[in-house]
């Protein structure tokens, strides 16, 4: 499957139009063999999932939802911009990854995404499809619409993801997201692993929780690990933190997204970095894999260059921002 998808990825064309970067999905849809392979692979990926409805996002998500609905025998509907759907609809406003202006140079209003109320029923499990995930605004708006109608977002699946724009972390943390092709350093890559890493401080003392990695890629790092198939970044963060340190946390906020083909010697990975405050008892690492430890002050932090996976600068910068935020709150009070 990975080899076949890489063939599809290699056929993508790139253009830079009016300062907007496009990876052209039409290079797939105009090759019938690649298009069939793509739909077959999406269907294979979701064959064991419980899905009651597929939603295609305006506009090229319509192509995917129609084809996948046919391939899997599942009903599908379209989420569209204002004025495009008949009957009763609900809507959410959202912003794009780029700023649109009118002929006078004025910034246009935010778009609206509409969904008909007649087809999404309470209790349904809904799969959301689109061609590209960039900043995540359209997908987030659709998730909100689905939940307002009493249904559950079973997952968000896209063909192409641009992780440097932060959409998965900034707006889609609570939802399972899957992408087949990742654009990293200008290259379309297949099989990129998505992970979470946590900047974790003790609720009582403010000390920072780090790990010494003992297995492959040894060194100092934030606690973290792989997002499992069908798992949201938030669920992965809670699970990985407990597995690697014994700490428990349930409230996570997005910090940044780490990318880079050579960042991890095991292969290209994308990391969603989150900040949390942990309720901590005795620390307990994974046997033979992690040894968790506390850093009690920023001055005691190991140098940034001693961290693996480019974690060092993120850790130093995040702690500095945290201390600055606390100082500002103290002055305000």
């Amino acid at each position: 499957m990975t080899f076949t998808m890489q063939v599809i990825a290699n056929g993508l064309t790139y253009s830079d139009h009016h300062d907007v970067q496009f990876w052209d999905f039409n290079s797939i849809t105009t090759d019938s063999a690649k298009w069939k392979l793509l739909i077959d692979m999406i269907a294979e990926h979701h064959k064991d999932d419980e899905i009651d409805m597929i939603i295609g996002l305006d506009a090229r998500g319509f192509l995917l939802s129609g084809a996948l609905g046919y391939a899997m025998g599942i009903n599908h509907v379209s989420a569209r911009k204002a004025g495009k759907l008949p009957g009763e609809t609900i809507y959410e406003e959202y912003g794009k990854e780029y700023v649109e202006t009118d002929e006078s140079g004025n910034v246009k209003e935010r778009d609206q995404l509409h969904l008909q109320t007649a087809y999404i029923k309470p209790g349904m499990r809904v799969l959301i499809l689109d061609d590209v995930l960039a900043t995540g605004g359209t997908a987030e708006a659709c998730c909100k619409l689905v939940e307002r109608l009493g249904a559950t977002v079973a997952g968000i699946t896209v063909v192409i993801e641009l992780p440097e724009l932060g959409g998965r972390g900034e707006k889609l943390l609570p939802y399972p997201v899957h992408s087949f092709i990742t654009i990293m350093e200008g290259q379309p890559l297949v099989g990129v692993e998505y992970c979470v890493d946590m900047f974790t401080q003790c609720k009582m003392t403010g000390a920072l929780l780090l790990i010494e990695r003992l297995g492959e890629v040894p060194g100092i790092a934030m606690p973290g690990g792989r997002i499992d198939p069908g798992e949201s970044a938030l669920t992965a963060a809670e699970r990985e933190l407990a597995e690697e340190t014994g700490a428990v946390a349930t409230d996570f906020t997005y910090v940044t997204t780490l990318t880079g083909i050579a960042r991890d010697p095991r292969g290209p990975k994308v990391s969603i970095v989150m900040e949390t405050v942990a309720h901590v008892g005795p620390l307990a690492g994974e046997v033979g894999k992690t040894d968790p430890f506390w850093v009690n002050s920023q001055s005691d932090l190991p140098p940034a260059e001693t961290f693996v996976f480019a974690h060092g600068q993120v850790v130093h910068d995040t702690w500095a921002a945290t201390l600055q935020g606390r100082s500002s709150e103290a002055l305000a009070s």
Side-chain angles (χ1 to χ4, degrees), residues 293-332:
F293 64 95
W294 292 109
V295 176
N296 292 308
S297 69
Q298 190 182 23
S299 61
D300 293 331
L301 266 180
E305 60 271 17
T306 63
F307 286 75
V308 295
F309 309 142
H311 282 191
Q313 198 60 54
V314 172
V315 168
H316 279 257
D317 291 348
T318 303
W319 203 341
T322 300
L323 293 174
Q324 184 177 5
R326 288 176 181 170
S327 298
S328 298
E329 289 176 4
L331 289 173

Side-chain angles (χ1 to χ4, degrees), residues 213-236:
R213 292 177 54 87
L214 306 175
E216 54 182 1
V217 196
I220 300 170
M222 291 181 282
R226 178 174 179 261
I227 302 174
D228 288 339
E231 188 177 44
S232 72
L234 284 181
T235 301

Side-chain angles (χ1 to χ4, degrees), residues 172-301:
L172 302 176
L173 285 179
Y175 307 106
V177 179
H178 181 76
S179 54
F180 288 92
I181 300 169
T182 297
I183 306 299
M184 195 181 300
E185 298 178 10
Q187 298 183 44
L189 305 175
V190 171
V192 172
E193 194 168 80
Y194 282 75
C195 307
V196 291
D197 288 302
M198 285 71 69
F199 180 92
T200 307
Q201 291 184 280
C202 176
K203 182 179 178 63
M204 299 298 294
T205 67
L208 178 66
L209 181 57
L210 297 174
I211 60 170
E212 181 77 31
R213 292 177 54 87
L214 306 175
E216 54 182 1
V217 196
I220 300 170
M222 291 181 282
R226 178 174 179 261
I227 302 174
D228 288 339
E231 188 177 44
S232 72
L234 284 181
T235 301
E238 185 175 344
R239 173 182 55 76
E240 286 288 348
L241 184 63
E243 289 176 359
E244 293 201 340
T245 69
V248 176
T250 57
D251 187 16
F252 297 85
T253 56
Y254 174 67
V255 175
T256 190
T257 299
L258 288 175
T259 64
I261 294 175
R263 188 177 64 86
D264 190 317
R266 296 168 297 179
K269 298 184 189 299
V270 173
S271 177
I272 312 300
V273 181
M274 286 174 269
E275 183 177 359
T276 189
V277 175
H279 306 273
V280 181
L283 297 181
E286 287 188 274
V287 177
K289 293 183 177 181
T290 63
D291 183 12
F293 64 95
W294 292 109
V295 176
N296 292 308
S297 69
Q298 190 182 23
S299 61
D300 293 331
L301 266 180

Side-chain angles (χ1 to χ4, degrees), residues 74-95:
I74 299 175
N75 295 335
H76 64 94
V77 295
S78 300
R80 303 203 64 183
K81 295 176 182 177
K84 302 294 185 180
L85 290 173
E88 181 181 352
T89 68
I90 58 173
Y91 73 89
E92 288 281 342
E93 292 187 344
Y94 68 98

